[in-house]
Amino acid sequence: MTDRPEHRPDALDDDNRCDACAAPPPRAVRRLRRTARAAALLTLALLLAGGAATGCGGRATTHHKPGTSHEQASGSVGTLLTATDAGGHRFREVSAEGAPEVQLTVRSDSEDGWNLQLAVKNYRFTPDSTGGAALPGAGHAHLELDGRKLARLYGPWFHLPAAQVPEGAHTLTVRLYADDHTAWAVAGKPVEGTAQLTATATATAPGQAGGHSHGDTPPPPQAPQSEQADRTVTITVRDGKVSPAPARTELRRGERVALRVTSDRADTLHVHGYDKELALPAGQEATLTLTADRTGLFEVETHTSGLVLTQLLVR
């Protein structure tokens, strides 16, 4: 009889076990081992997926709109320069290749003033995301007359009333901005377009279109401020903050809107596009009522503090 090695499973590892121990383990044991491996792999997959979903730094990137990448939402487009425009907006420089471009064309309006057209390239107007992060080739424009800001533009067309332009030769400038209010720039210079404009003094009979008078003729009487309005917007300015937060006031053409503003500091209310102004005494409510007889998007802001109070969207 041939001697067989002593069977000591407690002292032998898998590589040195005896023939008696080399037999496959029972089916129940094999099933338990497979279940354990599957559970471990599932746990690892869940951990990896969770890490990917949290994005940068392990936090969910829910701070920007769906469909917008984290890189875009971070506002990292181009390079921020220390140079600024006259209003303190920093320049955001991008490469000349594919950079935004704008050209300005001025045409006389048959009724009053001029119609301005902005021909843009590599650029789109994004009024719905103004105040957000800087996205490539997107934003709004500023209109300036001889270096003085007249309005913020959210589209390629703008009507400039004659009353906003003094008699004489002037330079109109449109400059492109990103949604975060930085100015697009190339080679250290802002992306802008200019056009020359000359306003002449012409006496116009009442009811005649196209006039721009600079004489002693008194302006037509304004409608009483107490006249009932279709819409009333109440705004408070305190410590440099606007309440409620600036938003759009939608109006139908022909509706009357009353702007009731209380400012803790003396200032001047200005409705762009309508050339309406109202003195704001410190701590007192003042009301400006106007008829929305011109379609478009018009900003209401303060002159001294430069705060946007609301936007009138007239359809």
Side-chain angles (χ1 to χ4, degrees):
M1 177 181 294
T2 304
D3 293 336
R4 301 184 64 179
E6 184 181 358
H7 177 40
R8 294 187 300 156
D10 58 328
L12 298 174
D13 56 25
D14 290 340
D15 295 332
N16 299 293
R17 56 189 174 181
C18 63
D19 294 339
C21 297
R27 182 177 299 175
V29 175
R30 295 199 303 272
R31 185 181 300 112
L32 182 61
R33 289 176 179 173
R34 287 197 298 268
T35 303
R37 289 194 197 97
L41 291 174
L42 178 60
T43 301
L44 178 60
L46 290 174
L47 289 174
L48 292 175
T54 55
C56 306
R59 295 183 300 154
T61 55
T62 57
H63 59 285
H64 53 82
K65 296 180 180 179
T68 302
S69 71
H70 178 71
E71 180 181 0
Q72 290 175 326
S74 67
S76 59
V77 180
T79 303
L80 279 178
L81 307 180
T82 56
T84 65
D85 65 4
H89 303 88
R90 294 180 65 180
F91 290 173
R92 181 179 294 275
E93 182 163 311
V94 293
S95 171
E97 183 178 359
E101 299 178 19
V102 60
Q103 291 183 341
L104 177 62
T105 303
V106 181
R107 299 182 179 88
S108 296
D109 186 85
S110 59
E111 292 187 0
D112 170 69
W114 301 266
N115 293 314
L116 313 183
Q117 181 183 15
L118 283 66
V120 296
K121 183 179 180 181
N122 303 323
Y123 187 80
R124 67 188 187 280
F125 292 96
T126 52
D128 292 337
S129 58
T130 300
L135 302 181
H140 54 273
H142 287 186
L143 172 65
E144 295 181 354
L145 176 70
D146 299 331
R148 179 176 63 89
K149 180 183 174 183
L150 292 181
R152 187 187 296 174
L153 312 185
Y154 295 97
W157 288 95
F158 181 79
H159 178 259
L160 178 61
Q164 289 191 254
V165 183
E167 181 182 352
H170 305 278
T171 299
L172 285 173
T173 303
V174 287
R175 187 176 302 117
L176 299 184
Y177 290 78
D179 285 330
D180 67 347
H181 303 290
T182 54
W184 292 112
V186 175
K189 296 182 179 181
V191 177
E192 61 187 24
T194 60
Q196 301 303 311
L197 175 67
T198 300
T200 58
T202 56
T204 305
Q208 183 177 345
H212 185 176
S213 62
H214 291 275
D216 297 328
T217 305
Q222 299 292 324
Q225 296 296 320
S226 59
E227 184 176 340
Q228 186 174 359
D230 300 297
R231 295 284 303 277
T232 299
V233 181
T234 303
I235 301 170
T236 300
V237 180
R238 183 178 298 278
D239 297 328
K241 297 182 178 180
V242 180
S243 179
R248 289 186 180 176
T249 302
E250 295 193 11
L251 302 166
R252 294 190 304 273
R253 185 172 183 176
E255 283 190 319
R256 289 183 61 78
V257 58
L259 303 171
R260 293 182 178 176
V261 181
T262 303
S263 173
D264 59 348
R265 297 181 181 179
D267 212 322
T268 302
L269 176 72
H270 184 203
V271 183
H272 288 289
Y274 284 87
D275 197 32
K276 299 290 185 181
E277 293 188 352
L278 177 69
L280 300 176
Q284 300 181 25
E285 183 182 82
T287 303
L288 173 65
T289 304
L290 62 87
T291 300
D293 56 2
R294 185 177 297 125
T295 58
L297 186 63
F298 308 95
E299 276 195 345
V300 180
E301 67 174 6
T302 56
H303 267 175
T304 303
S305 55
L307 298 174
V308 176
L309 305 184
T310 188
Q311 295 174 339
L312 303 181
L313 179 58
V314 186
R315 301 183 185 277

